[in-house]
Amino acid sequence: MNGPQDLGGQMGFGPVAPEVDEPYFHAEWEKRALGVTLTAGGMGAWNIDESRHARESLHPADYYASSYYEIWIKALETLLKRHGFITERDLKAGAAVDAAATPKRVLKAENVAAVLAKGGPCDRPMAQAARFKAGDPVRTKNFNPTGHTRLPRYARGKQGTIEAVRDGFVFPDSNAPGNGEDPKWVYTVVFDGREIWGEGADPTLTVSIDAWESYLEPA
């Protein structure tokens, strides 16, 4: 979906201003927000793409008014309610008052380090050959899905060139709504800045994105 996070090329937001010496956390509660989110994800009820889509599905007014970890917690509430772990009555009470779903597994403190070290690799072996090769001209599809996608709006319907062929990776558009991993080849595609931003763009500028194969057509 064209969520509020997809801001590439949007006017009116001003330049990106990175914080100097930015700390990992700006407040103590943010540490807990990260921990609670990771622990809840460890219950095995949803995958990383569903959790990302939950954050990106917040109403734009809510999303832009929220800090980074406020967005995480609001999305976590959505996921916990969606999968039956909490109810609206629980949230209002600040405690468990309704029966809840049973998690598939529980991440215990003694296992946190090993689980984090293991990570969650999303690369997958591919049975079929890649459709494109480095140097091929391609065009991204122009669509506006109601579900999840990793193709940014500014790069839709644009012509570029395959710069590199990556591995096969879980397809987020399918994985987010629980329709299976459906892994696809991923390519690095490079665009001329003028193709993306128009005739006024810096002629020396190029833009590269990683795109799943189903986002691309031969140009």
Side-chain angles (χ1 to χ4, degrees):
M1 64 179 290
N2 299 329
Q5 85 293 342
D6 194 357
L7 288 175
Q10 297 297 311
M11 294 182 175
F13 287 87
V16 175
E19 185 176 351
V20 178
D21 299 325
E22 182 180 12
Y24 290 123
F25 303 100
H26 290 81
E28 283 299 305
W29 71 265
E30 293 184 340
K31 298 178 182 178
R32 183 171 294 274
L34 174 62
V36 169
T37 300
L38 294 179
T39 302
M43 294 192 296
W46 55 82
N47 58 58
I48 190 173
D49 294 306
E50 183 179 352
S51 64
R52 181 180 288 120
H53 186 50
R55 293 191 285 273
E56 296 172 355
S57 298
L58 291 176
H59 188 284
D62 194 13
Y63 188 97
Y64 296 139
S66 302
S67 69
Y68 182 74
Y69 282 111
E70 285 174 343
I71 291 171
W72 277 47
I73 288 298
K74 291 176 180 179
L76 180 59
E77 289 180 1
T78 297
L79 292 166
L80 290 171
K81 286 191 289 185
R82 180 183 299 166
H83 291 277
F85 294 111
I86 63 171
T87 65
E88 194 62 41
R89 292 201 326 144
D90 294 332
L91 287 174
K92 289 180 179 178
V97 295
D98 290 320
T102 301
K104 296 178 182 177
R105 54 182 181 266
V106 175
L107 178 60
K108 297 182 178 178
E110 60 267 29
N111 298 325
V112 168
V115 169
L116 292 180
K118 181 180 178 181
C122 294
D123 55 320
R124 298 289 186 271
M126 299 296 294
Q128 71 278 18
R131 183 182 184 187
F132 304 106
K133 64 182 185 303
D136 282 354
V138 293
R139 179 173 292 277
T140 55
K141 295 181 180 178
N142 186 12
F143 57 76
N144 294 280
T146 55
H148 187 55
T149 186
R150 303 306 297 165
L151 182 62
R153 274 177 290 181
Y154 69 78
R156 295 176 193 165
K158 305 296 183 182
Q159 183 170 333
T161 303
I162 299 292
E163 186 175 65
V165 182
R166 306 301 178 184
D167 286 328
F169 285 89
V170 173
F171 187 42
D173 304 39
S174 173
N175 203 36
N179 293 331
E181 294 189 344
D182 192 18
K184 302 182 185 303
W185 287 99
V186 169
Y187 306 86
T188 297
V189 184
V190 61
F191 303 89
D192 187 289
R194 290 167 294 189
E195 174 70 6
I196 298 289
W197 311 120
E199 61 183 17
D202 182 341
T204 66
L205 178 69
T206 60
V207 177
S208 296
I209 67 169
D210 284 339
W212 275 260
E213 189 168 271
S214 62
Y215 296 159
L216 305 174
E217 299 173 321

